Amino acid sequence: MISGTVFDIQRLCVHDGPGIRTTVFLKGCSLQCFWCHNPESLKHHKELMFFSEKCMQCKECIERCPEGVHTLENGEHLLDRTKCKTCGACASHCMTKALSMAGVTMTVEEVMEEVMKDVEFYKTSNGGVTFSGGEALLQIDFLEAVLRACKQNSLHVTIETAGNVKWEHFERILPHVDLFLYDIKMMDSLKHKQYVGADNARCLSNVEQLIKRGKNIIVRVPVIPDINDHDKDIEAITNFVKHINKEIPLELLPFHKMGQTKYESLGLDYEAKHLEAPSQETMQRLNTIILKK
Ligand code: SF4
Ligand code: SF4
């Protein structure tokens, strides 16, 4: 039985493709963007999240944890994450949801059971199912199997990807995908490597292949202050895409800080804390560039 690691399934989504959708988030990514608003997506393995503001210090987790991860010291709930085996015992007994596991193992059947709950909404809104991450294409065996199941149920399928995987992974899912939402972050390969941990060669060559094969694609650019919010950054991406096919639409997604508390819950530093969301003027100016090409 094929299974994958899923860190969230969100129903009634309206920003992840056309209509009303269910978005399935697969864990693990081949890029490590420091501004990512889903930090629980970055690692492949399961992780324990602790939201201190929800903790009422009932001590249930201290009793449930066989590894001695949790302690209360001077009224403060401390975690020694180095001892955590991510068994989930503490999280499943935390009444306030101060503790939760990022990542559960799910079979294709279990994902489909969730996804099919809103099939009537998909029909009335021309919606469907979106697979996101992390990088959904990294779990290619699981993804291919679940996409086949979606198509057996005649569901519209969207994939959100940054494309930093082997082209063979795309080839395996092409027959089952209706729309790609494809992130391009920057054209400068050295800068790409510096900020997201890998150069952009595969990302660019894969999107080019998809466009040349006539796949339905929307290119999306996360606008990150000081990283890629200058006119020349957006011009370079727009020129690259329009040179392949001038009909391909581009969208700009402004940076936001909604993921900050999740970094804290994972015991991680939030390296984007000094950044501010781009102003309306900046977004308008950059949108003018993608629209006039
Ligand atoms: S079980 Fe939950 S609420 Fe109780 S002490 Fe642990 S984290 Fe806090
Ligand atoms: S997930 Fe398991 S090992 Fe980790 S803190 Fe909770 S009970 Fe302990």
Side-chain angles (χ1 to χ4, degrees):
M1 196 178 287
I2 300 179
S3 61
T5 308
V6 175
F7 73 87
D8 202 3
I9 296 182
Q10 290 178 5
R11 296 166 66 186
L12 306 178
C13 300
V14 293
H15 298 295
D16 298 332
I20 297 172
R21 314 189 69 79
T22 297
T23 303
V24 181
F25 294 85
L26 304 192
K27 197 156 160 48
C29 195
S30 52
L31 301 177
Q32 303 288 305
C33 307
F34 72 86
W35 58 81
C36 181
H37 60 271
N38 284 330
E40 74 275 41
S41 75
L42 296 175
K43 294 185 179 131
H44 295 258
H45 57 77
K46 296 173 188 177
E47 293 170 275
L48 179 65
M49 302 176 88
F50 173 57
F51 297 90
S52 59
E53 68 284 1
K54 292 187 189 168
C55 176
M56 60 178 190
Q57 303 199 344
C58 69
K59 300 186 182 170
E60 186 69 24
C61 53
I62 296 175
E63 281 163 34
R64 297 282 176 176
C65 177
E67 310 295 335
V69 170
H70 302 273
T71 50
L72 277 180
E73 284 177 31
N74 302 321
E76 195 180 354
H77 184 157
L78 303 176
L79 282 76
D80 182 350
R81 291 177 182 275
T82 60
K83 296 181 186 167
C84 180
K85 301 280 196 290
T86 61
C87 68
C90 59
S92 62
H93 288 90
C94 177
M95 297 294 283
T96 65
K97 308 271 185 227
L99 292 165
S100 66
M101 293 307 296
V104 290
T105 304
M106 293 184 81
T107 63
V108 172
E109 293 71 23
E110 285 168 335
V111 170
M112 290 309 295
E113 194 180 325
E114 277 302 300
V115 155
M116 292 304 287
K117 286 178 180 168
D118 287 339
V119 73
E120 291 307 317
F121 288 121
Y122 312 153
K123 283 184 191 159
T124 53
S125 68
N126 290 323
V129 187
T130 298
F131 291 87
S132 183
E135 176 52 68
L137 279 97
L138 289 178
Q139 296 189 48
I140 188 62
D141 294 336
F142 177 63
L143 183 65
E144 186 181 19
V146 80
L147 295 190
R148 279 183 196 279
C150 287
K151 281 301 163 196
Q152 279 160 8
N153 287 281
S154 304
L155 302 181
H156 180 281
V157 169
T158 295
I159 299 284
E160 284 185 343
T161 179
N164 188 36
V165 295
K166 293 179 194 161
W167 170 251
E168 291 73 35
H169 288 205
F170 280 99
E171 278 202 311
R172 286 174 62 178
I173 60 164
L174 285 186
H176 317 302
V177 179
D178 299 290
L179 170 67
F180 287 95
L181 300 176
Y182 201 112
D183 271 23
I184 298 182
K185 299 165 201 307
M186 57 199 90
M187 293 303 295
D188 183 324
S189 198
L190 283 177
K191 213 165 117 178
H192 199 273
K193 186 159 191 180
Q194 178 186 353
Y195 288 116
V196 308
D199 68 45
N200 60 10
R202 282 202 301 194
C203 310
L204 298 182
S205 111
N206 286 337
V207 73
E208 185 169 356
Q209 288 257 32
L210 289 176
I211 294 172
K212 286 183 171 168
R213 290 185 180 216
K215 292 293 157 190
N216 196 13
I217 298 181
I218 299 173
V219 168
R220 304 199 305 182
V221 183
V223 176
I224 315 300
D226 302 333
I227 307 294
N228 68 349
D229 64 340
H230 298 293
D231 291 10
K232 63 177 169 36
D233 299 309
I234 303 304
E235 269 168 11
I237 294 172
T238 309
N239 287 340
F240 169 78
V241 173
K242 298 289 180 181
H243 183 70
I244 306 166
N245 181 339
K246 62 180 172 31
E247 303 303 327
I248 300 297
L250 286 98
E251 292 177 355
L252 302 180
L253 307 175
F255 165 79
H256 60 73
K257 287 186 169 176
M258 281 189 271
Q260 180 159 3
T261 55
K262 293 199 278 186
Y263 280 84
E264 289 154 11
S265 78
L266 291 161
L268 300 173
D269 274 347
Y270 183 52
E271 292 177 33
K273 63 164 94 59
H274 62 289
L275 299 180
E276 295 301 330
S279 66
Q280 269 195 339
E281 292 72 29
T282 299
M283 292 306 295
Q284 273 170 4
R285 195 187 76 240
L286 299 177
N287 267 309
T288 309
I289 293 170
I290 63 171
L291 291 174
K292 78 181 178 197
K293 293 285 178 183

